Amino acid sequence: MGELLADHTTLRLGGPADQFLTHTDPATWPDLARSVPGTKVPFVLGGGSNTLADDAGYPGTVIRMATRGITQHPLDDGLVEVIVQAGEPLAEVVEFTAAQGLSGIEYLGGIPGTIGAAPVQNTGAYGQQISDTLSRITAYDWQLRRTVELRPDNCDFGYRTSAFKNSPGRWTILAIALRLIRSPLASPVSYPHLADALAVPLGARPPLAEAAQAVLADRHHRGLTLPAEGPDCRQAGSVFLNPAVTPAQATAIHHAGGPVHRTSDGSLRASAGWLLEQAGFHPGRRIGTGVYCSDSRTLTLAARESATAASFAHALRVLADAVVATHSIRLRPEPGGMLKT
Ligand SMILES: Cc1cc2nc3c(=O)[nH]c(=O)nc-3n(C[C@H](O)[C@H](O)[C@H](O)COP(=O)(O)OP(=O)(O)OC[C@H]3O[C@@H](n4cnc5c(N)ncnc54)[C@H](O)[C@@H]3O)c2cc1C
């Protein structure tokens, strides 16, 4: 039997891949790409923290990106370009850059997964997203069958979306370049509870190291970290994106006491967690075979003993349908993957 995808996803779900390759040495990429048959594009995995893999596995090649390496060189005006290989854990890159006194990704600390996957859903937190500081992406284009350099302007970045998400399988991200600012100060704080934790007003620029620490503490406090063990250790974080709402829906939600915020792409977004709670769900609630709202957050589903990818996908449908019934809003699953939900 092939390598089980359950061993490579944080939900620990998923059957065998026909062929499973681990990419560790950037220099060997051309050979690896040539070895993949031309008929079907491979599925690329980073840390598997945003992937729901099918119980039947994957009928093709899965490539796990495990290349490591960070280099940096100064540019003009206090800017520094940091080039990171795709398999570097995002959380470690944030720790590294904060320790080097480089500001720009400090609010992305504590997010599981690899930096190579971050552009796919334009990974973000606390008002910061990876596209804010991306300057270049080196990727393999499976359509052209060659390595290309992509500029962020051509990647259709938006709230938790990108060209990579919209054309699954077309590109494999090999490395990214970030443009960070050498500064002892973090980017302006835009989240009220983080500002409170740091005892600074909104918009202030706290010391970089303190901001990075406050993010980790806040994530821990709010159940936004991946526990090593315990009932919630098998999860993929938030299971739905905060949905875009119309001004009329935003007003109705606001009057009902729900949060609505405007994202950097200008859209009004409601809180998916709040909508689920309005629909009657709560932390710890069971949603079908082996699938529960996590003990600390309704918006995080945890897979427990008897869960399967099918029961997890079913739970997503149950939650999404309930919010359609209560608010006429269709939630979209955040984890991507090999399984249609
Ligand atoms: C506890 C927890 C908290 C989280 N908090 C956040 C958060 O605050 N904000 C947020 O945005 N996300 C969050 N996530 C989701 C997830 O961790 C991030 O989106 C992360 O960037 C995914 O990285 P990964 O390597 O695990 O991706 P994977 O699950 O391995 O892959 C995700 C997608 O990207 C594709 N992919 C992976 N690597 C590459 C590559 N090199 N080239 C091309 N495609 C690739 C895959 O095919 C798949 O479609 C959280 C998850 C957990 C478990």
Side-chain angles (χ1 to χ4, degrees):
M1 191 169 71
E3 185 93 14
L4 281 181
L5 297 169
D7 292 336
H8 299 283
T9 55
T10 57
L11 281 167
R12 300 185 211 163
L13 296 171
D18 277 358
Q19 185 188 26
F20 190 93
L21 305 172
T22 300
H23 177 49
T24 53
D25 177 1
T28 62
W29 177 261
D31 291 339
L32 187 148
R34 261 194 301 274
S35 76
V36 174
T39 45
K40 191 159 188 242
V41 289
F43 188 89
V44 176
L45 261 186
S49 67
N50 216 16
T51 294
L52 177 56
D54 200 328
D55 296 316
Y58 188 69
T61 303
V62 173
I63 303 173
R64 185 173 74 86
M65 301 301 281
T67 45
R68 304 293 298 261
I70 307 178
T71 55
Q72 53 173 307
H73 46 267
L75 305 169
D76 291 342
D77 298 332
L79 291 172
V80 176
E81 185 172 66
V82 178
I83 297 172
V84 191
Q85 298 300 318
E88 281 287 345
L90 171 61
E92 290 182 28
V93 179
V94 174
E95 248 177 67
F96 172 83
T97 53
Q100 296 283 313
L102 299 175
S103 166
I105 55 170
E106 54 280 3
Y107 297 125
L108 306 184
I111 301 178
T114 57
I115 199 106
V120 176
Q121 83 145 355
N122 195 9
T123 292
Y126 300 96
Q128 202 168 59
Q129 49 195 355
I130 198 74
S131 62
D132 296 342
T133 44
L134 261 179
S135 56
R136 203 161 20 97
I137 293 177
T138 306
Y140 187 78
D141 184 330
W142 290 94
Q143 221 166 64
L144 305 176
R145 288 234 158 210
R146 65 178 169 82
T147 299
V148 294
E149 296 283 320
L150 303 171
R151 297 271 155 205
D153 291 356
N154 301 324
C155 296
D156 292 338
F157 286 119
Y159 166 74
R160 303 294 179 273
T161 191
S162 69
F164 309 105
K165 197 169 194 174
N166 296 333
S167 302
R170 163 126 191 223
W171 293 280
T172 293
I173 296 169
L174 303 175
I176 67 163
L178 298 168
R179 202 160 278 196
L180 303 179
I181 301 170
R182 186 166 294 289
S183 168
L185 300 179
S187 309
V189 186
S190 60
Y191 268 54
H193 53 270
L194 199 58
D196 290 348
L198 285 157
V200 296
L202 273 179
R205 298 187 60 197
L208 185 57
E210 272 177 42
Q213 276 310 315
V215 164
L216 296 182
D218 191 64
R219 291 189 74 94
H220 186 70
H221 177 68
R222 291 168 60 217
L224 287 168
T225 49
L226 185 61
E229 53 191 23
D232 294 337
C233 68
R234 293 171 57 189
Q235 54 153 295
S238 303
V239 288
F240 293 108
L241 301 169
N242 287 332
V245 290
T246 62
Q249 285 171 322
T251 305
I253 289 169
H254 186 68
H255 283 146
V260 176
H261 65 280
R262 197 175 284 280
T263 54
S264 53
D265 63 6
S267 57
L268 285 169
R269 298 214 169 240
S271 154
W274 183 85
L275 289 167
L276 289 175
E277 280 161 18
Q278 294 295 299
F281 300 98
H282 53 78
R285 164 96 183 257
R286 180 172 173 272
I287 324 278
T289 311
V291 183
Y292 293 75
C293 294
S294 85
D295 281 346
S296 49
R297 292 182 84 221
T298 309
L299 187 55
T300 294
L301 289 188
R304 294 184 189 160
E305 61 301 320
S306 51
T308 60
S311 72
F312 199 90
H314 175 72
L316 292 178
R317 280 193 296 273
V318 169
L319 297 181
D321 289 349
V323 172
V324 171
T326 55
H327 287 82
S328 305
I329 293 172
R330 169 63 61 188
L331 296 180
R332 286 191 21 241
E334 182 178 311
M338 309 156 186
L339 187 68
K340 291 276 167 276
T341 46

